[in-house]
Amino acid sequence: MTEAILLVGGKGTRLRPLTVHTPKPMVPAAGVPFLTHQLARARAAGVEHIVLATSYLAEVFEPYFGDGSELGLHLEYVTEEEPLGTGGALRNVASRLHSAPGDPVLIFNGDILTGLDIRALLDTHRTTGADVSLHLTRVEDPRAFGLVPTDETGRVTAFLEKPQTPEEIVTDQINAGAYVFNRAVLDTIPAGRPVSVERETFPGLLADGAHLQGMVDSTYWLDLGTPQAFVRGSADLVLGRAPSPAVPGRRGERLVLEGADIAPDAKLTGGTSVGTGARIGAGARVDGSTVLDGAVIEPGAQIRDSLIGAGARIGAGTILDGAVIGDGAAIGPGNELRHGIRIWCHADIPAHSLRFSPDQ
């Protein structure tokens, strides 16, 4: 039986100010909670047992996913009483695994949307005889990331902090947040205290002569640590750029869930998803956005790359670009909100109150 640990929380708490009441991991991405895509992809790769290591809003997961049987999985949940870091979280849940010491355990991060070939990572781990295997991806500008150089065989040679000068950029390979550990390695992580795999576990294993193998897979990778990235990821799932067997409908320019009411001349493009009971008025244009259940977009509104919370109302002719609108908020007609603005839940913005464009 192939097992996995799904890390939920940690840096994902950066999305706490989404302003929607629904906790971020349960906000629909392409029609279903984002973690559904993660779990479904793991199951498609042959994983049967997953332990969710949770720290933030852990109580929302088990009531929704239950024992995992609807996804063909056996799910267990472990909640940290105090933040333990990535490595500490792994050690905290290791006792729930059933694997033998030499068996591989897949580790993946609940904040990352990726097209990683999970089977290929598991195969790489087995064929190279590694103690730990890491998914690496290449980025154009690695200055915001820790670097992971490898030798000609793919064996990891170092873990480098974020480069500060051009001379320090020795590779464009970064840690992409998915790993395979031999089960026995998890037991070497100190218990009962915070541990970072990036700063402590991996460098320590390397110093002790362990075999850490890198597998570069740059098909698709997105860190969902901001609301804008979350909206982009949802759109990419709808468009089919990011793979998932859990999208509840055909890939394309739009995904409209049953019960939504779309005016015949409204235009939905760019991977827009529309939740149950939402209404899109005549002549509205919605591009690359997520519209949650029960939201109302009145005639002539123009919305791009935005998240519209459940039950929110967007007035006629209003323009949104890169906006996050909280549950139940009301944006009156004729407003213009741009550049990542966030509106709190149930806020009321009167008609013709805000504009970002210059005077004409």
Side-chain angles (χ1 to χ4, degrees), residues 88-263:
L90 296 178
R91 184 67 174 85
N92 190 48
V93 305
S95 63
R96 297 293 189 94
L97 299 171
H98 310 302
S99 307
D103 289 343
V105 178
L106 174 69
I107 315 293
F108 58 112
N109 193 311
D111 293 310
I112 302 296
L113 178 59
T114 176
L116 168 68
D117 186 335
I118 297 173
R119 290 185 184 274
L121 182 63
L122 288 164
D123 289 344
T124 294
H125 184 78
R126 294 186 181 101
T127 57
T128 60
D131 298 296
V132 178
S133 297
L134 298 87
H135 171 209
L136 307 180
T137 192
R138 293 190 171 99
V139 295
E140 290 186 9
D141 184 359
R143 288 176 296 176
F145 304 94
L147 309 183
V148 187
T150 55
D151 65 17
E152 63 278 1
T153 69
R155 188 161 179 163
V156 174
T157 59
F159 290 90
L160 307 177
E161 292 296 322
K162 297 175 183 179
Q164 303 299 312
T165 66
E167 292 74 22
E168 292 176 318
I169 303 177
V170 298
T171 182
D172 59 356
Q173 296 175 175
I174 66 168
N175 178 358
Y179 323 106
V180 179
F181 277 68
N182 282 347
R183 171 66 182 82
V185 175
L186 294 174
D187 291 328
T188 68
I189 300 173
R193 68 170 178 85
V195 180
S196 166
V197 291
E198 297 87 356
R199 295 182 177 86
E200 182 175 348
T201 304
F202 291 154
L205 288 169
L206 209 58
D208 290 341
H211 180 174
L212 277 67
Q213 186 73 22
M215 189 194 84
V216 177
D217 183 326
S218 298
T219 50
Y220 182 95
W221 186 84
L222 183 65
D223 183 339
L224 302 182
T226 67
Q228 284 70 33
F230 188 88
V231 172
R232 180 71 264 156
S234 177
D236 285 344
L237 284 161
V238 174
L239 290 166
R241 295 172 181 167
S244 170
V247 176
R250 296 176 60 183
R251 275 49 165 204
E253 289 292 316
R254 63 189 225 172
L255 173 67
V256 178
L257 298 188
E258 185 176 355
D261 182 9
I262 313 298

Side-chain angles (χ1 to χ4, degrees), residues 15 17 44 69 75 119 140 176 184 207 213 218 236 276 291 293 295 311 315 320 332:
L15 279 184
S69 56
L75 298 182
R119 290 185 184 274
E140 290 186 9
Q213 186 73 22
S218 298
D236 285 344
T276 300
V291 181
D293 294 354
L320 303 180

